């Protein structure tokens, strides 16, 4: 009997991919990008709040640290801009936010490839890599530029806040998933004695 040719998708199903193989077109990568939008936004906001607080404490100006990132466009004068403005503050935050989304993509891709790795480990690794690239790889004009406004300790706090922001969504999810079985177990422990007592009462009522 002549065998009809199989469609391409059926042939692929007959020959599964080897272990460890990942299809770059798999739907999972779309989810990675969507998650990066969330984790990157959180990391951007938290790190900006840290930079703003440190900038206010050290330089007397809340937007000074954020303004410095606009040196990508305005070069050196951006490092000395202290007031609120679309030219420096809005542009500086937009640059920082875009960079945060880029690094969040790396964080989420790491989690997609190695889901067993703890979120804080992945976040710390990405934040450390971001620091090395920002201050030891790219030209100074493409660095965040806020080190003179917030000091060395402020830079460390900013990258720590960035790492926390990357991992925060995953930490919240893990906490919720971990607490659900515990709640179910406690509920079962409360319900089981009550059901046992009800069964005993029914048995006593049936007895003559």
């Amino acid at each position: 009997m002549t065998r009809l040719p199989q469609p391409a998708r059926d042939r692929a199903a007959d020959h599964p991919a080897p272990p460890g193989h990942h299809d770059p077109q798999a739907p999972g990568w779309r989810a990675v990008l969507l998650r990066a939008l969330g984790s990157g936004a959180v990391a951007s906001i938290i790190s900006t709040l840290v930079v703003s607080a440190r900038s206010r404490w050290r330089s007397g100006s809340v937007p000074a640290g954020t303004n410095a990132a606009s040196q990508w466009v305005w070069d050196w004068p951006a490092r000395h801009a202290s007031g609120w403005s679309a030219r420096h503050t809005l542009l500086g935050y937009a640059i920082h936010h875009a960079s945060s989304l880029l690094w969040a993509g790396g964080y989420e891709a790491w989690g997609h490839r190695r889901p067993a790795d703890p979120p804080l480990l992945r976040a710390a690794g990405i934040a450390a890599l971001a620091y090395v690239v920002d201050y030891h790889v790219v030209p100074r004009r493409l660095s965040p530029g806020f080190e003179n406004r917030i000091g060395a300790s402020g830079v460390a706090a900013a990258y720590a806040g960035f790492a926390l922001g990357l991992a925060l969504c995953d930490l919240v999810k893990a906490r919720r998933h971990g607490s659900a079985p515990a709640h179910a177990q406690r509920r079962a422990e409360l319900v089981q004695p009550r059901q046992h007592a009800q069964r005993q009462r029914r048995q006593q009522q049936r007895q003559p």
Side-chain angles (χ1 to χ4, degrees):
M1 180 176 178
T2 304
R3 185 178 180 183
L4 296 177
Q6 290 179 295
R9 62 174 180 270
D10 293 336
R11 290 198 300 270
D14 292 342
H15 302 281
H21 173 76
H22 294 273
D23 182 5
Q25 301 299 326
W29 286 105
R30 183 178 181 181
V32 167
L33 295 177
L34 292 176
R35 288 196 300 269
L37 293 177
S39 57
V42 175
S44 173
I45 292 171
I46 292 180
S47 56
T48 297
L49 290 175
V50 173
V51 169
S52 299
R54 294 288 302 189
S55 180
R56 174 67 178 86
W57 178 76
R58 194 172 190 272
S59 304
S61 170
V62 172
T66 301
N67 290 346
S70 66
Q71 68 176 347
W72 283 36
V73 176
W74 307 122
D75 204 2
W76 185 257
R79 288 174 172 257
H80 302 280
S82 297
W84 298 92
S85 67
R87 177 185 177 91
H88 293 294
T89 311
L90 187 59
L91 178 60
Y93 180 75
I95 291 172
H96 174 66
H97 192 83
S99 299
S100 298
L101 295 181
L102 176 64
W103 289 113
Y107 168 80
E108 298 294 350
W110 182 347
H112 181 70
R113 292 284 188 176
R114 300 175 60 89
D117 290 349
L120 284 177
L121 173 65
R122 292 187 280 126
I126 292 297
L129 179 60
Y131 171 78
V132 171
V133 172
D134 287 343
Y135 286 102
H136 299 283
V137 176
V138 299
R140 189 175 185 183
R141 182 170 177 172
L142 299 183
S143 70
F146 50 50
E147 62 278 359
N148 293 331
R149 293 294 193 156
I150 64 177
S153 60
V155 171
Y159 281 91
F162 181 74
L164 176 61
L166 287 178
L168 189 59
C169 292
D170 285 336
L171 293 175
V172 171
K173 290 178 183 177
R175 183 180 180 88
R176 288 179 178 175
H177 292 165
S179 62
H183 287 307
Q185 182 178 0
R186 286 195 295 269
R187 183 176 180 181
E189 291 174 352
L190 294 174
V191 171
Q192 286 176 357
R194 188 182 309 166
Q195 292 176 342
H196 180 67
Q198 291 175 350
R199 284 194 297 267
Q200 286 183 334
R201 284 197 298 269
R202 292 195 195 101
Q203 291 175 357
Q204 291 173 358
Q205 292 174 354
R206 292 173 184 173
Q207 292 177 355

